[in-house]
Amino acid sequence: MAAVLLWPLSLVALAATALAMWAVGWAVFRRLSPSDGRTAFYAASPGALGTVLVLAEQDGTDVRKVAVAQS
């Protein structure tokens, strides 16, 4: 039960790390590939390949670039 007190700290660290990775990935895709902001947003999304591809297609992005980046 003592470890339960550490969970909020680790969850905050996990969320901050995931957001930082997403932001860095977005910046890399914007600078190193000819991608628009929305395509880079979905390409940099960590995990959830199927969900990201569906959302990217619904948003009208280049799904091929998103699929390659996610793979």
Side-chain angles (χ1 to χ4, degrees):
M1 291 305 283
V4 171
L5 297 174
L6 298 176
W7 290 355
L9 179 62
S10 64
L11 291 175
V12 167
L14 176 66
T17 303
L19 288 174
M21 289 183 346
W22 201 343
V24 169
W26 179 83
V28 167
F29 284 118
R30 287 290 290 153
R31 291 192 188 270
L32 298 181
S33 69
S35 297
D36 61 296
R38 291 182 312 173
T39 301
F41 175 81
Y42 289 111
S45 300
L49 171 65
T51 304
V52 169
L53 289 178
V54 169
L55 292 173
E57 185 175 21
Q58 289 176 350
D59 201 18
T61 64
D62 189 348
V63 179
R64 293 174 299 153
K65 288 181 183 178
V66 174
V68 168
Q70 286 282 316
S71 296

